[in-house]
């Protein structure tokens, strides 16, 4: 097999998450490409949780709909997940609790005494290792491949624990080999050997901030953003910086603004509710032309909504949520790799244009794990924009000068200067102001300063504001998406192409300012355009309508039930909508 | 030598004639001069309100933020550049209504900044509504039959929140206020200074005259020493908070900056942003 | 003359505002139609301020560009305002300070010892009365017409004060009659006698809330919304209710939500910064289906911006500002009369649809004063929607039932029940939930509840979602606006028509859900469409593009310098843009 | 007769086994029964957090709001219907971090509602970050080298804010807690009850055992009487807040509802919304 889909499920608190970690770490070390997604709920212990890991010999950007092996620690896991199983799939279920195979389940069904074996070895949590061992038997792999990972993971718990876990692994393996006859193994094709990283979008963002020279993060915990602060609090002190957990999101955002004003790259990260609270602060950053980067890891809304579920419903709020009008950039990466590089760019854009930049991800990208090419420091750069260093300050009492922080220059981008700099004294205010930052209410000044600010992004764009996969000049279909649906759209596209359709795919990275001129030709060329997004109102579709129209040719695929959009599902939904006849060949 | 004139600019304050805030402004300028600060190393961060305009009236870096958020901005700034002298300032609505949470959390965090509240017991800029500092019974636009909320006690709340420096003054007493601001700036940690700064337009009760007859100096209280938190609390409770001077100081508690593990001694703003290949390699190896 | 434009200017704190009050009260009592707008700045004393009062024999919805009489207390007032004066206009300026007439000023210029006369009478503030008296002389009116108003206004100050003021009035009148020769008076045509009201938009909103049965307001002071709370704190206690000044806008909005949940009509009012802070709460109202009315009196943004200036820059933030997707209604009245009736409707819609409703006004409408027909209680109604009263509660322990507060009914609108009602127990949460309000994360339930909520407004509209003035079936021009530009657009339209253009005018009241189907035919019929709004990015234009396209025919007139858009100014800007030839007749 | 079973529903709490919040839930149910309340006249308003789930676990009206805003929602509700028994509740993050401003302002306002904080000194629902109640040195996901902020003292802050009812209890002591909740509900004004409610998953320091050895009952303190605010403050300071029982009560201060001029005696929710023609006429005449 070139790819395998494996899932483990049970109750929250049973160690499902770390089992998924160990399992995928093993295949990562072997050199496979992985993609993992965790289904969990908003409670600490109890409640069904599962992790699905997809293993492949080539790059993948999404989990998929199918399942080859399901490890179930309880009946609930079977009932919730068995429909995903392939005909030849396996259910390995804990014997405890007398599990039953659903009547309409074609997969193979093997109750295995996971708990019993683990208990015999001294601790019930080791049933996880037993399950990994059992999986090895089915994949015809030596369980010893997990030994170094177990050693690494349990290092701090001492040798005995390590040995017991290795034992549990072995016994799971042996049990299957011994008890299941005939055992039809499903061996994986060998992987390509090359260096890879395996990490979540949030970890990539964390790495990106460090590479960008960011030294301060201010944040308030919230799912699914908290990981970023938890990662950075371990790393930033090594670079003299830190993470401050604030009293709320308003403090987080305004502190980040204060730090940026002080001359340090600083940011905050949150999710929907936190972003709603930051709207006033974002306006302040825009008005005072203070750079600030804000990460929004989208989750299910509205309100507290579905905190542990996937959604894309904050697009308009990110672009238009603050009162009044400011220049602002919204970037939406779609892979872990993009998350890293886009984070660095977010800091560059924020400083170059002296504006708030929102890095918009979604739960699937932020918490899901992906194999990716190793990030390259050389591919990043640090561009801080116009900063005035030490100057000849007017020292003479009569002639104290103010620095023209908001000088009316044609580009709209005036020089910044950091407090502490001689000759740079100026005033900063969220009130309309003149070139030195003094509050001024005159109509003339107002218009000039407003135009100045809005000019900054008049011609703004980024390198590849969208990712494109172009398969034809006049395609039957143009698929447009953003964020983590990329993998699903790519795979659906491939299947459509294999069925003879000509399909192009644009994945938007720059949501605002919207790259309308660049996108237009692709839309004009397409017979039918399907805009794919995980929200109910079609926010990207509305954005496209607003900038470009194409009302007659645009169709929407929306999903807003909290689960990720998967390749097969998407393929079938697209097929059901195709209006154009495919090109006869 | 620096003098207070070095901290003057050409802007004419748009406060009403007689507003208490003028003297607060002068006191900050004097304190800065007395401490030998230079304008470019001083930053006045302020909130929104009549009081909030102060950041534009002192020759120094100034950041006039949004209502109630001067303290988070000031703290972010201080984290960025620990060498700056950062003064946060604003009104009683700014600091005790919309910004109250930040005030207490800033006190807990104990960063080395000085916070000056211009307490006029009313909302000036929005034309005379009650503030959390208005006396009960106080008649305003928003309480035509008199306020029925209990006023907040800034000193009690600051002490209860673990403040390491608590002072109170009266804007007429520029000498006392100046020296308290100096001490506040010198204090290694968060300094909370509440200043009775009369609003001559909207507060016809708590006037200059009223304060003159009601305020008492702690230095006039026998055996008062400002290093005893319980005594401070007791005195504040007994006097209804109508005292001025240094109410409490804890010199032993380290500031946030000093407690923070591995926090750069150099201002972060001077740090080299670029990682070495090695540093980067180490970071990504974890995921390989 | 059929109309007169009068302005008085000086320093803030000099009593300009009350002088404007008295002056317009006089003409209101005589039966004229008035419109007044105050230019002021964000400080308490000092700084130029002025009030412009337009007096007419027929209804008017805006001040205008011209000026007949300028009363100036200082040179600054002349310098700032003289360009507005008509050729035959008057400047009456305080002699004190040796005022100078600008070289290019064609108006008549009369220095008058306002201050001196007032001082002689004992108090400098009476210069205001002197000025009104002087105005009377020019208009050939008896100053005694102001006597009852002065009596009313200074009642609480005692008889002496009243008499002195009447004296000041008289002396101003006499001074002009005595000293100015020849005095070319400009008498006003007599007014139509009918009952009228003269009030601000904010006062109309305050009245509207009482008429709607609202009993609680929760608010935090902010310009230009505070008047509403200041009006209501005087009135609501008479009806058993009150206004609570909260610690911030988040508390204001969530308290209003709590009160509505409790079964009382309650609301909050604020402006831009406050609205930005309420975004999370608005999402809560949407998710929990709790009615709440929020008034946003727009002012100049972004951030603190221009707190005392006119702007329309919160349209998108109001529609799309909260994270996640909720049903919501945004209504924008354009006259004081509409402000009243729309306020009542806002409460009805909020309760009928169980949603947040935003009443969007602007500074000019909220603070400006207008003559209007007396409001009629009979024209209002109170519709509270589906409310379940007392029920047979399950009293038996085993069988305790939960009320299906979020029952999946076809309309999406389930029955509400207030706490305290027997048999109505249910749970309310901002987390996704089932029919009884229990938090549930399942994909199936999610989709159903999301659809339920979004269904509520699927076919929503209001009576006249836009005001239309239709002058032709295939007009050369269609002008579209919203909020207080209505008067300016109407007057510009009239002038264009008088020049032979065929012009239609739509003034949008329902900004969201946007009445696209209703508007479409009017847009299709027009040769050119000009969208007029006081913001920089063209928010209404973008909304129209998003829903309807018409990219080729839509043009924008934007103004964002903080001053109101005036009829002549608008007329000239439109003329400069007309692409279509006017119909030959 | 009502019993605590009347306040039970069929929902199985999703708290971790052993979580302190179970007993808080039980205590509310018992207190409600002891006071003879009926489920339909009781409303539990809660914030977001593990603790916030409590509104769904009691058979009564429940409003699970947004993080930190349970108190404003509860106050709005109480204003709408003064006949309801309103209990607001939530975690220490909810009430002392994001919601701290509301907490203190609710205390000042003194509406007749009862506020119960489930204080586990950590953020439970977001998986174990520091809370404003975490001890300094406390190690969490967000403070791997130990917290460096000073923890907030709920009792000091409540007293300093002018609370009229301040109590503290421990979720293991259902009897004490139940009776304090009863007293809180009976108190005519705002009742603040802080409850040590251990998080067995993320707080391995402040455990049941830890509290058992560290807590002291005020009833065991000689001469303690809870009507003396200064004594209360002094005792809290001296004991580091590790006391339980009724710390302070002021029975003389009228509640907000009772102070409000012309506030309807009948629940507003029962009011007739329609104006008479005369009333309306009077209103508009002002503008004619
Ligand atoms: C979010 C927000 N809400 C409300 C306002 C309006 N506002 C400006 S200043 C102010 C309060 C002024 O009172 P205070 O802080 O005591 O300052 P003072 O004017 O008395 O010095 C308010 C409510 C605002 N600018 N922003
Ligand atoms: C505005 C907002 N910010 C952050 C969150 C995420 N969040 C949910 S609960 C919580 C804190 C939980 O701690 P606490 O209030 O002490 O309750 P506990 O879970 O410990 O009972 C946070 C930060 C949120 N829901 N809303
Ligand atoms: S209104 Fe009051 S606080 Fe504001 S400037 Fe005037 S006197 Fe000072
Ligand atoms: S995580 Fe802690 S607070 Fe949350 S349910 Fe578990 S034990 Fe209770
Ligand atoms: Mg004030
Ligand atoms: Mg907690």
């Amino acid at each position: 097999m070139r790819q395998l889909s494996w899932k483990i499920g049970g109750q929250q608190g049973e160690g499902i998450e770390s089992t998924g970690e160990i399992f995928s770490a093993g295949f990562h070390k072997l050199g496979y490409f992985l993609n993992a997604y965790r289904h969990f709920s908003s409670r600490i212990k109890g409640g069904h949780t599962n992790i699905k890991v997809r293993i492949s010999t080539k790059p993948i950007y999404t989990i998929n709909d199918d399942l080859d092996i399901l490890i179930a620690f309880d009946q609930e896991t079977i009932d919730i997940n068995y429909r995903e199983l392939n005909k030849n799939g396996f259910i390995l279920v804990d014997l405890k609790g007398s599990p039953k195979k659903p009547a309409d389940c074609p997969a193979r069904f093997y109750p295995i005494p996971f708990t019993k074996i683990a208990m015999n070895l001294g601790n019930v949590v080791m049933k996880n290792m037993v399950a990994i061992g059992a999986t090895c038997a089915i994949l015809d792999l030596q369980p010893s491949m997990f030994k170094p990972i177990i050693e690494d993971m349990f290092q701090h718990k001492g040798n005995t624990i390590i040995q017991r876990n290795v034992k549990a692994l072995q016994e799971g393996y042996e049990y299957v080999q011994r008890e299941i006859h005939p055992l039809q193994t499903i061996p994986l094709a060998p992987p390509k050997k090359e260096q890879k990283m395996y990490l979540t979008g949030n970890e990539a963002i964390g790495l990106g901030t460090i590479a960008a020279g960011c030294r301060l993060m201010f944040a308030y915990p919230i799912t699914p953003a908290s990981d970023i602060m938890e990662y950075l609090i371990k790393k930033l002190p090594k670079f003299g910086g830190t993470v401050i957990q604030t009293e709320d999101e308003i403090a987080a955002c305004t502190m980040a603004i204060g730090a940026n004003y002080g001359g340090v790259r600083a940011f905050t990260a949150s999710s929907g509710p936190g972003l709603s609270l930051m709207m006033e602060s974002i306006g302040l950053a825009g008005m005072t032309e203070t750079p600030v980067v804000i990460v929004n890891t989208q989750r299910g809304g509205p309100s507290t909504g579905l905190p542990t579920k996937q959604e894309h419903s904050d697009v308009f709020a990110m672009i238009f949520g603050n009162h009044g009008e400011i220049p602002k950039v919204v970037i939406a990466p779609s892979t872990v790799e993009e998350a890293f590089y886009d984070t660095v760019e977010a800091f560059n854009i924020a400083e170059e244009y002296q504006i708030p930049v929102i890095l918009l991800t979604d739960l699937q990208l932020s918490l899901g794990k992906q194999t990716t090419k190793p990030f390259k420091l050389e591919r990043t750069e640090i561009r801080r924009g116009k900063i005035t260093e030490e100057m000849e300050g007017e020292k003479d009492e009569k002639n104290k000068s103010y620095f023209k922080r908001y000088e009316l220059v044609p580009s709209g981008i005036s020089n910044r200067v950091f407090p502490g700099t001689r000759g740079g004294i100026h005033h900063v205010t969220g009130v309309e102001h003149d070139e030195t930052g003094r509050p001024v209410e005159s109509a003339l000044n107002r218009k000039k300063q407003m135009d100045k600010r809005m000019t900054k992004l008049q011609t703004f764009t980024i390198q590849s504001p969208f990712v494109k996969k172009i398969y034809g000049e006049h395609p039957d279909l143009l698929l447009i998406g953003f964020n983590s649906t990329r993998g699903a759209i790519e795979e659906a596209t491939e299947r459509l192409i294999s069925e003879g359709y000509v399909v192009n795919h644009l994945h938007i990275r720059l949501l605002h300012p919207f790259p309308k001129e660049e996108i237009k030709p692709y839309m004009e060329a397409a017979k039918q355009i399907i805009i794919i997004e995980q929200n109910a109102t079609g926010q990207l579709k509305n954005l496209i309508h607003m900038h470009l129209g194409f009302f007659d040719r645009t169709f929407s695929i929306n999903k807003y039930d909290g689960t990720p959009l998967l390749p097969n599902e998407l393929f079938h939904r697209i097929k059901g909508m195709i209006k154009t006849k495919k090109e006869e060949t | 030598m620096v003098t207070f004139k070095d901290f003057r600019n050409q802007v004419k304050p748009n406060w009403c004639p007689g507003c208490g805030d003028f003297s607060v402004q002068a006191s900050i300028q004097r304190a800065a001069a007395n401490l030998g600060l230079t304008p470019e190393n001083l930053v006045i961060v302020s909130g929104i309100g009549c009081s909030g305009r102060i950041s534009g009236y002192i020759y120094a870096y100034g950041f006039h933020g949004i209502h109630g958020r001067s303290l988070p901005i000031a703290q972010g700034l201080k984290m960025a550049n620990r060498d700056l002298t950062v003064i946060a300032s604003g009104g009683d609505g700014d600091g005790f209504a919309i910004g109250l949470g930040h005030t207490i959390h800033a006190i807990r965090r104990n960063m080395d900044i000085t916070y000056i509240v211009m307490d006029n017991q009313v909302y000036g800029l929005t034309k005379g509504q009650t503030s959390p500092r208005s006396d009960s019974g106080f008649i305003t636009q928003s309480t035509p039959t008199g306020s029925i909320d209990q006023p907040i006690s800034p000193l009690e709340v600051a002490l209860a929140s673990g403040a390491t420096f608590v002072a109170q003054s009266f804007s007429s007493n520029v000498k006392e206020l100046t020296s308290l601001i100096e001490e506040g700036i010198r204090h290694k940690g968060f300094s909370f200074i509440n200043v009775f700064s009369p609003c001559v337009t909207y507060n016809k009760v708590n006037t200059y005259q009223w304060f003159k007859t009601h305020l008492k100096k702690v230095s006039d209280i026998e055996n008062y020493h400002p290093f005893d938190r319980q005594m401070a609390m007791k005195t504040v409770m007994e006097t209804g908070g109508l005292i001025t001077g240094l109410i409490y100081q804890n010199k032993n508690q380290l500031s946030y900056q000093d407690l923070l593990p591995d926090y750069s001694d150099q201002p972060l703003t001077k740090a080299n942003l670029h990682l070495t290949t090695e540093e980067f390699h180490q970071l990504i190896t974890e995921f390989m």
Side-chain angles (χ1 to χ4, degrees), chain A, chain B:
Chain A
M1 296 221 304
R2 309 223 133 265
Q3 65 162 297
L4 174 86
S5 211
W6 178 89
K7 184 184 267 191
I8 182 166
Q11 293 292 300
Q12 291 193 162
E14 279 192 310
I16 303 293
E17 192 172 2
S18 57
T19 313
E21 285 291 304
I22 293 169
F23 181 78
S24 44
F27 288 89
H28 170 61
K29 293 282 177 223
L30 288 180
Y32 288 98
F33 289 90
L34 306 177
N35 201 291
Y37 183 79
R38 182 164 161 242
H39 168 98
F40 66 114
S41 65
S42 198
R43 64 188 283 189
I44 305 304
K45 283 183 185 159
H48 174 69
T49 185
N50 68 58
I51 293 189
K52 190 167 192 172
V53 183
R54 187 178 176 200
I55 302 167
S56 169
T57 54
K58 50 177 206 152
I60 41 175
Y61 296 107
T62 181
I63 51 167
N64 59 351
D65 317 56
D66 303 0
L67 195 54
D68 298 302
I69 301 174
L70 173 64
I71 310 283
F73 284 139
D74 50 23
Q75 186 67 39
E76 191 183 357
T77 300
I78 298 177
D79 297 345
I80 294 178
N81 300 290
Y82 80 90
R83 282 178 201 81
E84 296 176 17
L85 279 158
N86 293 325
K87 214 166 61 236
N88 300 319
F90 289 79
I91 298 179
L92 308 186
V93 56
D94 196 348
L95 188 62
K96 196 188 139 202
S98 336
K100 272 181 283 297
K101 182 179 172 178
D104 60 338
C105 173
R108 283 166 276 203
F109 185 82
Y110 300 117
I112 298 175
F114 292 137
T115 298
K116 197 163 149 227
I117 297 174
M119 297 275 265
N120 286 343
L121 289 168
N123 193 335
V124 65
V125 296
M126 288 192 298
K127 67 183 175 186
N128 292 302
M129 285 310 151
V130 181
I132 293 182
T135 305
C136 286
I138 289 172
L139 299 180
D140 202 8
L141 283 168
Q142 279 308 315
S144 55
M145 67 180 261
F146 287 101
K147 222 181 128 196
I149 294 150
I150 291 174
E151 280 166 359
D152 214 56
M153 200 127 169
F154 294 126
Q155 199 181 329
H156 62 290
K157 296 203 173 169
N159 239 330
T160 329
I161 300 283
I162 292 176
Q163 268 155 28
R164 279 208 220 150
N165 274 283
V166 173
K167 193 89 206 295
L169 195 66
Q170 190 63 29
E171 292 205 3
Y173 178 76
E174 285 168 9
Y175 181 91
V176 171
Q177 287 228 314
R178 194 171 61 237
E179 302 290 336
I180 300 184
H181 296 293
L183 179 62
Q184 291 211 324
T185 60
I186 42 174
L188 270 165
K192 260 199 268 163
K193 282 278 175 200
E194 53 188 23
Q195 264 207 333
K196 302 184 191 74
M197 290 171 76
Y198 179 56
L199 73 174
T200 67
N202 277 348
E203 287 163 339
I205 292 168
L207 275 169
T209 61
I210 304 175
C214 168
R215 291 294 173 266
L216 291 171
M217 176 185 191
F218 303 91
Y220 190 71
I222 193 166
T223 306
S226 309
D227 305 347
I228 303 174
M229 72 187 282
E230 289 167 10
Y231 171 74
L232 285 174
I233 185 61
K234 290 184 226 119
K235 302 297 171 199
L236 282 179
K238 295 190 183 135
F239 302 95
T242 196
V243 176
I244 294 188
Q245 182 183 322
T246 56
E247 57 271 30
D248 63 18
E249 289 86 351
I250 298 176
C253 192
T254 42
M255 282 193 200
I257 290 169
N260 273 289
Y261 161 68
V264 169
R265 288 191 161 190
F267 84 114
T268 185
S270 187
S271 191
L275 264 290
S276 276
L277 287 171
M278 291 180 198
M279 287 302 157
E280 194 196 10
S281 319
I282 292 172
L284 176 70
M287 184 57 148
T288 58
E289 308 195 35
T290 312
V292 66
V293 171
I294 299 161
V295 177
N296 178 3
T297 57
Q298 289 170 101
R299 64 186 209 182
S303 196
T304 309
L306 289 169
T308 61
K309 300 285 175 272
Q310 161 69 3
E311 199 166 286
H312 286 156
S313 56
D314 298 349
V315 177
F316 264 66
M318 293 307 97
I319 302 176
F320 301 112
N322 55 287
H323 75 276
E325 299 171 311
I326 56 165
K328 188 204 282 170
V329 165
V330 182
I331 300 185
S334 57
T335 64
V336 163
E337 189 181 22
E338 272 185 20
F340 172 76
Y341 292 108
D342 285 355
T343 301
V344 182
E345 270 311 285
F347 282 92
N348 288 333
I349 295 166
E351 286 213 318
E352 283 189 306
Y353 293 88
Q354 308 174 11
I355 52 166
V357 175
I358 292 172
L359 189 79
L360 188 69
T361 76
D362 58 20
L363 184 137
Q364 189 181 353
L365 175 57
S366 272
L367 299 188
K369 264 182 131 163
Q370 239 171 61
T371 299
T372 188
K373 272 183 278 181
F375 302 151
K376 293 219 179 327
L377 188 59
E378 318 83 76
R379 271 190 56 196
T380 68
E381 53 176 348
I382 292 179
R383 306 186 308 271
R384 304 203 63 185
K386 296 184 182 175
I387 296 172
T388 298
E389 312 272 343
E390 211 67 15
M391 274 175 311
E392 219 19 82
E394 250 66 42
K395 274 279 95 178
D396 121 53
E397 146 79 2
K398 280 260 142 293
N399 213 355
K400 269 181 294 202
S401 69
Y402 267 80
F403 179 81
K404 288 197 177 172
R405 170 67 186 89
Y406 304 106
E407 192 172 5
L408 295 164
V409 291
S411 67
I413 305 169
S414 343
N415 273 42
R416 285 202 296 155
V417 61
F418 303 137
T421 309
R422 237 185 104 194
I425 286 181
H426 64 275
H427 190 239
V428 169
T429 172
V431 172
E432 191 55 276
H433 43 259
D434 67 13
E435 290 183 289
T436 65
R438 200 161 116 181
V440 166
E441 297 181 348
S442 92
L444 202 69
N445 176 77
R446 157 63 167 192
K447 176 138 190 341
K448 283 186 188 156
Q449 285 288 338
M450 191 77 191
D451 288 340
K452 166 203 191 307
R453 286 188 297 272
M454 299 316 280
T455 298
K456 295 199 286 184
L457 295 182
Q458 210 82 71
T459 58
F460 177 84
T461 192
I462 57 174
Q463 261 211 317
S464 37
F466 43 87
V467 180
K468 47 179 189 272
K469 295 252 169 155
I470 303 301
Y471 295 97
E473 234 179 285
H474 296 286
D476 302 311
L477 278 182
L478 172 64
L479 306 178
I480 308 184
F482 66 106
N483 274 157
S484 68
T485 48
R486 169 142 158 214
I489 299 179
E490 284 182 0
E491 294 183 28
T493 302
E494 277 163 29
R495 277 188 68 178
L496 288 163
I497 286 173
S498 75
E499 294 199 0
Y501 293 97
V502 181
V503 184
N504 289 343
H505 169 199
L506 304 183
H507 218 69
I508 313 288
R509 276 175 66 222
L510 182 63
L511 283 168
H512 186 77
F514 196 74
K516 56 180 172 180
E517 294 309 329
E518 293 95 319
I519 284 181
K520 202 173 180 178
Y522 297 99
M523 293 188 66
E524 276 167 346
K527 301 205 188 78
Q528 185 181 356
I529 300 161
I530 301 181
I531 300 161
I532 296 155
E533 51 194 321
Q534 293 206 254
N535 58 44
T537 58
Q539 302 193 22
L540 177 59
K541 176 203 69 187
N542 282 337
L543 206 58
I544 288 173
H545 282 174
M546 179 171 121
H547 289 296
L548 292 160
F550 289 99
F551 294 86
D552 54 333
R553 256 177 285 176
T554 46
F555 298 82
S556 265
I557 288 185
N558 299 99
K559 187 178 188 189
Y560 46 95
D561 67 1
T563 67
L565 188 60
L566 298 181
N568 282 345
E569 173 194 5
L570 181 60
F571 167 77
H572 291 292
R573 287 185 68 174
I574 295 172
K575 270 207 77 173
M577 286 172 71
I578 295 181
K579 301 241 174 234
T580 48
K581 291 249 181 303
K582 57 183 157 180
E583 311 266 331
E584 296 301 329
T585 44
Chain B
M1 223 205 63
V2 281
T3 76
F4 73 94
K5 290 189 185 152
D6 290 316
F7 297 93
R8 272 200 195 152
N9 63 15
Q10 257 86 52
V11 185
K12 190 172 159 297
N14 63 17
W15 291 314
C16 309
C19 176
D21 297 348
F22 283 102
S23 303
V24 178
Q25 174 199 347
S27 302
I28 293 175
Q29 289 164 327
R30 276 167 205 275
N34 293 350
L35 291 170
L37 304 180
T38 48
E40 62 262 26
N41 292 313
L42 174 64
V43 188
I44 315 288
V45 180
S46 65
I48 303 294
C50 292
S51 44
R53 290 297 186 121
I54 200 166
S55 56
Y57 303 153
I58 292 175
Y59 190 67
Y61 281 90
F63 196 123
H64 181 228
I66 41 180
H67 191 39
R69 323 295 173 191
S70 68
L71 282 172
I73 294 170
Q75 290 171 90
L77 170 61
K78 183 73 186 180
M79 286 302 300
N81 188 342
R82 61 190 300 171
D83 283 359
L84 296 172
T85 298
V86 177
I87 293 180
S89 56
D92 47 327
D94 202 74
F96 305 139
I98 193 167
L100 180 59
H102 303 309
T103 302
I104 297 180
H105 284 282
I107 288 174
R108 290 179 54 224
R109 215 171 267 125
N110 198 33
M111 285 191 193
D112 187 13
I113 62 186
T114 302
Y115 181 41
I116 301 171
V117 179
M118 283 160 264
D119 180 2
N120 54 13
Q121 301 174 251
V122 77
Y123 283 14
L125 191 61
T126 47
K127 307 197 158 186
Q129 299 86 1
T130 35
S131 98
R133 286 283 303 128
S134 302
D135 292 334
S136 44
F138 190 64
I139 289 177
T140 67
Q141 292 291 351
S142 57
T143 53
T145 55
S147 169
I148 61 170
D149 293 345
Q150 294 303 306
I152 231 168
S153 163
L155 301 184
E156 282 186 45
V157 167
L159 286 168
S161 311
T164 58
F165 183 103
V166 179
Q168 185 160 268
S169 193
F170 173 32
S171 82
S172 275
N173 192 342
V174 173
K175 212 173 126 207
E176 182 194 61
L177 179 53
T178 304
S179 99
L180 287 172
I181 295 174
E182 282 173 51
E183 284 189 60
I185 294 174
R186 264 198 303 258
H187 175 72
K188 293 264 152 283
F190 189 84
S191 317
F192 174 81
I193 306 177
N194 195 62
V195 186
F196 296 116
S197 177
C199 170
V200 296
T201 304
Y202 295 113
N203 191 333
K204 308 289 186 185
V205 175
N206 311 99
T207 59
Y208 287 100
Q209 197 44 49
W210 190 92
F211 284 110
K212 271 183 195 127
T213 59
H214 286 81
L215 288 178
K216 192 164 154 180
K217 288 196 160 50
V218 285
S219 54
D220 293 343
I221 299 175
E222 229 175 313
N223 285 328
Y224 192 86
H225 47 102
F227 305 109
D228 179 341
R229 198 165 151 259
Q230 284 193 29
M231 177 185 278
M233 185 64 101
K234 184 159 168 280
T235 310
V236 171
M237 283 179 156
E238 282 169 0
T239 57
L242 290 168
I243 47 179
T244 67
L246 176 61
I247 312 296
Y248 176 68
Q249 184 170 19
N250 174 350
K251 296 189 171 179
N252 302 321
Q253 174 67 35
L254 290 178
S255 77
Y256 194 84
Q257 275 73 25
D258 288 331
L259 283 170
L260 202 57
D262 297 318
Y263 182 50
S264 159
D265 287 336
Q266 277 292 95
L268 273 181
T269 190
K270 299 255 153 70
N272 174 9
L273 270 52
H274 294 271
L275 298 184
T276 62
T277 319
E278 186 149 331
E279 283 168 334
F280 187 69
H281 187 71
Q282 221 172 356
L283 285 169
I284 63 170
T285 302
E286 219 172 276
F287 302 104
M288 301 224 283

